Amino acid sequence: METIKYTEDVGTLIISSNLLPTMWTTLVVLLGLLNTATAAVTSENQTWKNVVIGAGGFVSGIVFNPTKKGICYLRTDIGGLYRLNPSDDSWIPLLDWVGDSNWHNHGVDAVATDPVNTNTVYAAVGLYTNSWDPNNGSILKSTNQGNTWTTAANLPFKVGGNMPGRGMGERLAIDPNKNSVLFLGARSGNGLWKSTNSGSTWSKVTSFPDAGTFAPDPSDSSGYNAEKIGLTWVTFDNTTKTSSGSSRIFVGVASLGAPNVYQTTNGGTSWTALPIFNNTLIPHKGVHSFKEKALYVSFSNGAGPYDGTAGRIGKFNITSGTWKDITPARAISDNSYGFGGLALDLSKPGTVMVASLNSWWPDQVIYRSTDGGTSWSPIWEWAGYPTINRYFGVDNSLTPYLGGPLGNQDVSLKLVGWMIEALVIDPFDSNHWLYGTGATVMGGHDLLKWDTVHNVTLKSYAAGIEETAVLGLTSPKSGDAHLLSVVGDIGGFRHVDFTKPNLAFSNPTYGTTTSIDYAGNKPNLIVRVGQVTDDSKPQIALSSDYGVSWSANSAAPPPTQNSGYAGGTIAYSANGDTLLWSTPNLGVFRSQNQVTFAAVSALPSGAAVAADKVNGTALYAASGSKFYSSVDTGASWTSVTVGNMTSASWIAANPFKAGEVWVSGNGGIYASTNYGKTFTALPSVSNAWKIAIGAPKTTGGKPSLYAAATINGLNTLYRTDDHTNWIKISDADHGFGSTSGIVLAADPRIYKRVYVGAGAGSGSSPCSLRKSSGERSGQSQAHPVGLQKDQDFSSCDILKHPH
């Protein structure tokens, strides 16, 4: 059994330092990492804190414990698992310990909280069921509400926490009448599985008749949409207690044109299909109302979380064995969305809520019924288009990038949300409800007002949840913001106060933003790159005031001219007159003085690019085994072969000294002091991905170098102050996920401070932003986010290592 320790942390961007109080620190004793023939590897106490953005990704599931007040878990697709702090409605991250060797544990496809031993919780973990994740899934178990975990079982199949259908569920369930019994609905044709020893071992339920036949797109060559969704949820009838547990169990299956809800009345020995409710729809959620002796089921014609153009709500009478269609009449009339989220107020039989999946315009619709689905009231409705009646107020103070209505009749924003699969009512408090969106967790504490004054407050409860996909970071040499970030789906941010969420970059507003850089001699000049591939706006934006305000760079061709003119990485010359843009598939382009971008034929497509931070005419690039340098702002280039490297990854330049540059790749990390003419390998590093250069230990000394690297066989995060000996700065509580997915920026003004976008998966977009440092001074001293259809805000965060 693998035991994993967790220490509570808050948020997504983490800060670490050996000079900070040790509130979030752990001293890690590293065994077998000392290589006296090359260089020493040591460890330090580190303090990591999150840089607050505020959620920023899909919340795929929320589960309250049914027997003990205040216990609630929230799962995300690639951002891990959280536990509610009921004292202030914040969330405590439970999987920050996940590191490179178990990176796919960030994906949580199901969570189950024990109704008997209420401190026990299980999670089915794994990211992908296609080739992107080579590992089978696991069942994690905690007996102290997620503070520490064991791997209860390694499963013989994959688990897909970030696959289509990840909002269905819950696929994992604990028998309330015998809590040593668990059932798990598997994906990819693997059927139904059962454990009789609290998750330690699992066996396939061979009597279960249908493993699920539906795949969103069987022709998808990547396998992502071609994988079968499998079983969608497991629900126990807690009123059917026997000596061996509950006799009646319901299971939903992703199959079309056939029965897709099954029940057993003998604990799983045999199974029968319920009468077909609608053979064109898939059951997303199944919730048992024991006082009504009924099963409520939400249906949609897709797997979610993005799709859904038709759906129904079914209510199965267990006594009569018949279905009743209780779909809201307005939804039938709208005829444009399915249903995902489904919640019952177990203390008020007949009170049910359902959420559309997906009503992309003007907003999602949540319906509420207090009479078992006979009649419904919506959260908003038209009062004769274009007049809209919203029966709610909005508090997005914890996610200001989501904005708010620009006026009473503004319909430009999705204030209710999107991708609502998680929807729950607190079983101990009828006023308390929560639901997940593609960006955050919403809800409130005045739900009963829906039934009286028909007006509630929707609040974003994002405190503690940090799950943005961090794609780029930069730390300028001056200015009030020590960090600027760009992330998937919600753009990017200036982080002046790391403890508070901010408005996103705007004018232009990009959803996904992939790269950001500053001009070394003029740090007020900032450039960022958007990735809105169907946008009519140029995807390069410039700022002259440290990122406070922006303007589109008209020299860049818009993606409507060619979708390849979006995304990639960008470098800003030290004097702020030249941009070097490496696009995803059109090659590398160069623009001087905001004149039209021209192709740089000397550089390979997809090359890593960077600018010297002192010499205004020096630019760099790397690809394969080659390092390219220019001393005339990219007009001409020379190249050299770098050591035994065959696949270059990243380039980092000294913020304070011209010509000093480092390149990372599959051969390690190589340093040059002469603009890349020659290189020397740093000791002990066999592989490296992102690297960053920060403030030196002593004024005028060597800058600190941070690396997501393999050193003496261990993939993790390191720092070196003398460029010979290495310090491991990850720890038992902060593993940063996949090392290859980490994004880095080091603070040039504060020694030992580094910003880390934690890696969500192997080769995937990184997850989380964190900050770490010793914070000793170094060398020198609102508009809402635009929403595109099908935006996921897939999860991650930023960590900061501070003083």
Coordinates of all heavy atoms in Angstrom, one line a residue, residues 302-361:
G302 N -26.2 13.5 -25.5 CA -24.7 13.4 -25.6 C -24.1 13.0 -24.3 O -24.8 12.9 -23.2
A303 N -22.8 12.9 -24.3 CA -22.1 12.5 -23.0 C -21.8 13.6 -22.1 O -21.5 13.5 -21.0 CB -20.8 11.7 -23.4
G304 N -21.8 14.9 -22.7 CA -21.4 16.0 -21.9 C -19.8 16.0 -21.7 O -19.2 15.1 -22.1
P305 N -19.3 17.1 -21.2 CA -20.0 18.2 -20.6 C -20.3 19.3 -21.6 O -21.0 20.3 -21.2 CB -19.1 18.7 -19.5 CG -17.7 18.5 -20.1 CD -17.8 17.2 -20.9
Y306 N -19.8 19.2 -22.9 CA -20.0 20.3 -23.8 C -21.3 20.2 -24.6 O -21.9 21.2 -25.0 CB -18.9 20.4 -24.8 CG -17.5 20.4 -24.2 CD1 -16.7 19.3 -24.4 CD2 -17.0 21.4 -23.5 CE1 -15.4 19.2 -23.9 CE2 -15.8 21.4 -22.9 CZ -15.0 20.3 -23.1 OH -13.7 20.3 -22.6
D307 N -21.7 19.0 -24.9 CA -22.8 18.8 -25.9 C -24.2 18.8 -25.2 O -24.3 19.1 -24.0 CB -22.6 17.5 -26.7 CG -22.4 16.3 -25.8 OD1 -22.8 16.4 -24.6 OD2 -21.8 15.3 -26.3
G308 N -25.2 18.3 -25.9 CA -26.5 18.2 -25.4 C -27.5 19.1 -26.1 O -27.5 20.4 -25.9
T309 N -28.3 18.6 -27.0 CA -29.2 19.4 -27.8 C -30.7 18.8 -27.5 O -31.6 19.4 -28.1 CB -28.9 19.3 -29.3 OG1 -28.9 18.0 -29.7 CG2 -27.6 20.0 -29.5
A310 N -30.8 17.8 -26.8 CA -32.1 17.2 -26.5 C -32.0 16.5 -25.2 O -31.0 15.9 -24.9 CB -32.6 16.3 -27.6
G311 N -33.1 16.4 -24.4 CA -33.1 15.7 -23.2 C -34.4 15.7 -22.5 O -35.4 16.3 -22.9
R312 N -34.5 14.9 -21.4 CA -35.7 14.7 -20.7 C -35.4 14.5 -19.2 O -34.3 14.1 -18.9 CB -36.6 13.6 -21.2 CG -37.3 13.8 -22.5 CD -38.4 14.8 -22.4 NE -39.2 14.9 -23.6 CZ -39.0 15.7 -24.6 NH1 -37.9 16.5 -24.6 NH2 -39.8 15.7 -25.6
I313 N -36.4 14.6 -18.3 CA -36.3 14.3 -16.9 C -37.3 13.1 -16.7 O -38.5 13.3 -17.0 CB -36.6 15.4 -16.0 CG1 -35.6 16.6 -16.3 CG2 -36.5 15.0 -14.5 CD1 -34.1 16.3 -16.0
G314 N -36.8 12.0 -16.2 CA -37.7 10.9 -15.9 C -37.8 10.6 -14.5 O -36.8 10.8 -13.7
K315 N -39.0 10.2 -14.0 CA -39.2 9.8 -12.6 C -39.8 8.3 -12.7 O -40.9 8.1 -13.2 CB -40.2 10.7 -12.0 CG -40.5 10.5 -10.5 CD -41.4 11.5 -9.9 CE -41.7 11.3 -8.5 NZ -42.6 12.3 -7.9
F316 N -39.0 7.4 -12.1 CA -39.4 6.0 -12.0 C -40.0 5.7 -10.7 O -39.4 5.9 -9.7 CB -38.2 5.1 -12.3 CG -38.5 3.7 -12.3 CD1 -39.1 3.1 -13.4 CD2 -38.1 2.8 -11.3 CE1 -39.4 1.8 -13.5 CE2 -38.4 1.5 -11.3 CZ -39.0 0.9 -12.4
N317 N -41.3 5.2 -10.8 CA -42.0 4.7 -9.6 C -41.6 3.3 -9.3 O -41.9 2.4 -10.1 CB -43.5 4.8 -9.9 CG -44.3 4.5 -8.7 OD1 -44.1 3.5 -8.0 ND2 -45.3 5.4 -8.4
I318 N -40.9 3.2 -8.2 CA -40.3 1.8 -7.9 C -41.4 0.8 -7.6 O -41.3 -0.4 -8.0 CB -39.3 2.0 -6.7 CG1 -38.1 2.8 -7.1 CG2 -38.9 0.6 -6.3 CD1 -37.2 3.1 -6.0
T319 N -42.5 1.3 -7.0 CA -43.6 0.3 -6.6 C -44.3 -0.2 -7.9 O -44.5 -1.4 -8.0 CB -44.6 1.0 -5.7 OG1 -43.9 1.5 -4.5 CG2 -45.7 0.1 -5.3
S320 N -44.6 0.7 -8.8 CA -45.4 0.3 -10.0 C -44.5 -0.1 -11.1 O -45.0 -0.8 -12.1 CB -46.3 1.5 -10.5 OG -45.5 2.6 -10.9
G321 N -43.2 0.2 -11.1 CA -42.3 -0.1 -12.1 C -42.6 0.7 -13.4 O -42.3 0.1 -14.5
T322 N -43.0 1.9 -13.3 CA -43.3 2.7 -14.5 C -42.6 4.0 -14.4 O -42.3 4.6 -13.3 CB -44.8 2.9 -14.6 OG1 -45.3 3.6 -13.4 CG2 -45.6 1.6 -14.8
W323 N -42.4 4.6 -15.6 CA -41.8 5.9 -15.7 C -42.9 7.0 -15.9 O -43.9 6.7 -16.5 CB -40.9 6.0 -17.0 CG -39.6 5.3 -16.9 CD1 -39.3 4.0 -17.4 CD2 -38.4 5.7 -16.3 NE1 -38.0 3.7 -17.2 CE2 -37.4 4.7 -16.5 CE3 -38.0 6.9 -15.7 CZ2 -36.1 4.9 -16.1 CZ3 -36.7 7.0 -15.3 CH2 -35.8 6.0 -15.4
K324 N -42.5 8.2 -15.5 CA -43.3 9.4 -15.8 C -42.4 10.4 -16.3 O -41.3 10.7 -15.7 CB -44.0 9.9 -14.5 CG -44.9 11.1 -14.8 CD -45.6 11.6 -13.5 CE -46.4 12.8 -13.7 NZ -47.1 13.3 -12.5
D325 N -42.7 11.0 -17.4 CA -41.9 12.1 -18.0 C -42.3 13.4 -17.3 O -43.4 13.9 -17.4 CB -42.2 12.2 -19.5 CG -41.2 13.2 -20.2 OD1 -40.7 14.1 -19.5 OD2 -41.0 13.1 -21.4
I326 N -41.4 14.0 -16.5 CA -41.6 15.2 -15.8 C -40.8 16.4 -16.3 O -40.6 17.3 -15.6 CB -41.4 15.0 -14.2 CG1 -39.9 14.6 -14.0 CG2 -42.3 13.9 -13.7 CD1 -39.5 14.6 -12.5
T327 N -40.4 16.3 -17.5 CA -39.6 17.3 -18.1 C -40.4 18.7 -18.1 O -41.6 18.7 -18.4 CB -39.3 17.0 -19.6 OG1 -38.7 15.7 -19.7 CG2 -38.3 18.0 -20.2
P328 N -39.7 19.8 -17.7 CA -40.4 21.0 -17.7 C -40.9 21.4 -19.1 O -40.2 21.2 -20.1 CB -39.3 22.0 -17.3 CG -38.3 21.2 -16.5 CD -38.3 19.8 -17.1
A329 N -42.1 21.9 -19.1 CA -42.8 22.2 -20.4 C -42.0 23.2 -21.2 O -41.9 23.1 -22.4 CB -44.2 22.7 -20.1
R330 N -41.4 24.1 -20.5 CA -40.6 25.1 -21.3 C -39.4 24.5 -22.0 O -39.1 24.8 -23.1 CB -40.1 26.2 -20.3 CG -39.1 27.1 -21.0 CD -38.6 28.2 -20.1 NE -37.3 28.7 -20.4 CZ -36.6 29.5 -19.7 NH1 -37.0 30.0 -18.6 NH2 -35.3 29.8 -20.1
A331 N -38.8 23.5 -21.3 CA -37.6 22.8 -21.9 C -38.1 22.0 -23.2 O -37.3 22.0 -24.2 CB -37.0 21.9 -20.9
I332 N -39.3 21.4 -23.1 CA -39.8 20.7 -24.3 C -40.0 21.7 -25.4 O -39.7 21.5 -26.6 CB -41.0 20.0 -23.9 CG1 -40.7 18.9 -22.9 CG2 -41.7 19.4 -25.2 CD1 -41.9 18.1 -22.4
S333 N -40.5 22.9 -25.0 CA -40.8 23.9 -26.1 C -39.5 24.5 -26.6 O -39.4 24.7 -27.8 CB -41.6 25.0 -25.4 OG -41.8 26.1 -26.3
D334 N -38.5 24.7 -25.7 CA -37.2 25.2 -26.2 C -36.6 24.2 -27.2 O -35.9 24.6 -28.2 CB -36.3 25.4 -25.0 CG -36.7 26.6 -24.2 OD1 -37.5 27.4 -24.6 OD2 -36.1 26.7 -23.0
N335 N -36.6 22.9 -26.8 CA -36.2 21.9 -27.7 C -34.7 22.1 -28.2 O -34.4 21.9 -29.4 CB -37.1 21.7 -28.9 CG -36.9 20.4 -29.7 OD1 -36.5 19.4 -29.1 ND2 -37.2 20.4 -31.0
S336 N -33.8 22.5 -27.3 CA -32.5 22.8 -27.8 C -31.4 22.3 -26.8 O -30.2 22.5 -27.1 CB -32.3 24.3 -28.0 OG -32.6 25.0 -26.8
Y337 N -31.8 21.7 -25.7 CA -30.7 21.3 -24.7 C -31.2 20.0 -24.0 O -32.4 19.6 -24.0 CB -30.5 22.3 -23.7 CG -31.7 23.0 -23.1 CD1 -32.4 22.4 -22.0 CD2 -32.1 24.2 -23.5 CE1 -33.5 23.0 -21.5 CE2 -33.2 24.8 -23.0 CZ -33.9 24.2 -21.9 OH -35.0 24.8 -21.4
G338 N -30.2 19.3 -23.5 CA -30.4 18.1 -22.7 C -30.4 18.5 -21.2 O -30.5 19.7 -20.8
F339 N -30.3 17.5 -20.3 CA -30.2 17.8 -18.9 C -29.0 17.0 -18.3 O -28.7 15.9 -18.7 CB -31.5 17.3 -18.2 CG -32.6 18.3 -18.5 CD1 -33.5 18.0 -19.5 CD2 -32.8 19.4 -17.7 CE1 -34.6 18.8 -19.7 CE2 -33.9 20.3 -18.0 CZ -34.8 20.0 -19.0
G340 N -28.3 17.7 -17.4 CA -27.2 17.1 -16.6 C -27.5 17.1 -15.2 O -27.9 16.1 -14.6
G341 N -27.3 18.2 -14.5 CA -27.4 18.3 -13.1 C -28.8 18.0 -12.6 O -29.8 18.4 -13.2
L342 N -28.8 17.2 -11.5 CA -30.1 16.8 -10.9 C -29.9 16.7 -9.4 O -28.9 16.1 -8.9 CB -30.4 15.4 -11.4 CG -31.6 14.6 -10.7 CD1 -32.9 15.4 -10.9 CD2 -31.7 13.2 -11.3
A343 N -30.7 17.4 -8.6 CA -30.6 17.4 -7.2 C -31.9 17.2 -6.5 O -33.0 17.7 -7.0 CB -30.0 18.7 -6.7
L344 N -32.0 16.5 -5.4 CA -33.2 16.4 -4.6 C -32.9 17.0 -3.2 O -31.8 16.9 -2.7 CB -33.5 14.9 -4.4 CG -33.8 14.0 -5.6 CD1 -34.2 12.7 -5.2 CD2 -34.8 14.7 -6.5
D345 N -33.9 17.6 -2.6 CA -33.9 18.0 -1.2 C -34.5 16.8 -0.4 O -35.7 16.6 -0.4 CB -34.7 19.3 -1.0 CG -34.5 19.8 0.4 OD1 -34.1 19.0 1.3 OD2 -34.8 21.0 0.6
L346 N -33.6 16.0 0.1 CA -34.1 14.8 0.8 C -34.9 15.1 2.1 O -35.6 14.2 2.6 CB -32.9 13.9 1.1 CG -32.1 13.4 -0.1 CD1 -30.9 12.5 0.4 CD2 -33.0 12.6 -1.0
S347 N -34.8 16.3 2.6 CA -35.6 16.6 3.8 C -36.9 17.2 3.4 O -37.8 17.4 4.2 CB -34.8 17.7 4.6 OG -34.7 18.9 3.9
K348 N -37.1 17.4 2.1 CA -38.4 17.9 1.6 C -38.8 17.1 0.4 O -38.5 17.4 -0.8 CB -38.3 19.4 1.2 CG -38.1 20.3 2.3 CD -38.0 21.8 1.8 CE -37.8 22.7 3.0 NZ -38.9 22.7 4.0
P349 N -39.4 15.9 0.6 CA -39.8 15.0 -0.5 C -40.6 15.7 -1.6 O -41.5 16.5 -1.3 CB -40.6 13.9 0.2 CG -40.2 14.0 1.6 CD -39.9 15.4 1.9
G350 N -40.2 15.5 -2.8 CA -40.8 16.1 -4.0 C -40.1 17.4 -4.4 O -40.5 17.9 -5.5
T351 N -39.1 17.9 -3.7 CA -38.4 19.0 -4.1 C -37.2 18.6 -5.0 O -36.3 17.8 -4.5 CB -37.9 19.9 -2.9 OG1 -39.0 20.4 -2.2 CG2 -37.0 21.0 -3.4
V352 N -37.2 19.0 -6.2 CA -36.2 18.5 -7.2 C -35.7 19.7 -8.0 O -36.5 20.6 -8.3 CB -36.7 17.4 -8.1 CG1 -38.0 17.8 -8.8 CG2 -35.7 16.9 -9.1
M353 N -34.4 19.7 -8.4 CA -33.9 20.7 -9.3 C -33.1 20.1 -10.4 O -32.5 19.0 -10.2 CB -32.9 21.7 -8.5 CG -33.7 22.4 -7.4 SD -32.6 23.5 -6.4 CE -32.2 24.8 -7.6
V354 N -33.2 20.6 -11.6 CA -32.5 20.1 -12.7 C -31.8 21.3 -13.5 O -32.3 22.4 -13.4 CB -33.4 19.3 -13.7 CG1 -34.0 18.1 -13.0 CG2 -34.6 20.2 -14.2
A355 N -30.8 20.9 -14.2 CA -30.0 22.0 -15.0 C -29.9 21.6 -16.4 O -29.6 20.4 -16.7 CB -28.6 22.2 -14.4
S356 N -30.0 22.5 -17.3 CA -29.9 22.3 -18.7 C -28.4 21.9 -19.1 O -27.5 22.4 -18.4 CB -30.3 23.5 -19.5 OG -29.5 24.6 -19.2
L357 N -28.3 21.2 -20.1 CA -26.9 20.8 -20.6 C -27.0 20.6 -22.1 O -27.5 19.6 -22.6 CB -26.5 19.5 -20.0 CG -25.1 19.0 -20.3 CD1 -24.1 19.8 -19.4 CD2 -24.9 17.5 -20.0
N358 N -26.7 21.6 -22.9 CA -26.3 22.9 -22.5 C -27.1 24.0 -23.3 O -27.4 23.8 -24.5 CB -24.8 23.2 -23.0 CG -23.8 22.6 -22.0 OD1 -23.5 23.2 -21.0 ND2 -23.2 21.5 -22.4
S359 N -27.6 24.9 -22.5 CA -28.3 26.1 -23.1 C -27.3 27.2 -23.3 O -27.0 28.0 -22.4 CB -29.4 26.5 -22.2 OG -30.0 27.7 -22.7
W360 N -26.7 27.3 -24.5 CA -25.6 28.2 -24.7 C -26.0 29.6 -24.8 O -25.2 30.5 -24.7 CB -24.8 27.8 -25.9 CG -24.0 26.5 -25.7 CD1 -24.2 25.3 -26.2 CD2 -22.8 26.4 -24.9 NE1 -23.3 24.4 -25.7 CE2 -22.4 25.0 -24.9 CE3 -22.1 27.3 -24.1 CZ2 -21.3 24.5 -24.2 CZ3 -21.0 26.8 -23.4 CH2 -20.6 25.5 -23.5
W361 N -27.2 29.9 -25.1 CA -27.7 31.3 -25.2 C -29.1 31.4 -24.8 O -29.9 30.5 -25.2 CB -27.5 31.8 -26.7 CG -27.8 33.3 -26.7 CD1 -26.9 34.3 -26.6 CD2 -29.1 33.9 -27.0 NE1 -27.5 35.5 -26.7 CE2 -28.9 35.3 -26.9 CE3 -30.4 33.5 -27.2 CZ2 -29.9 36.3 -27.1 CZ3 -31.4 34.4 -27.4 CH2 -31.1 35.8 -27.3

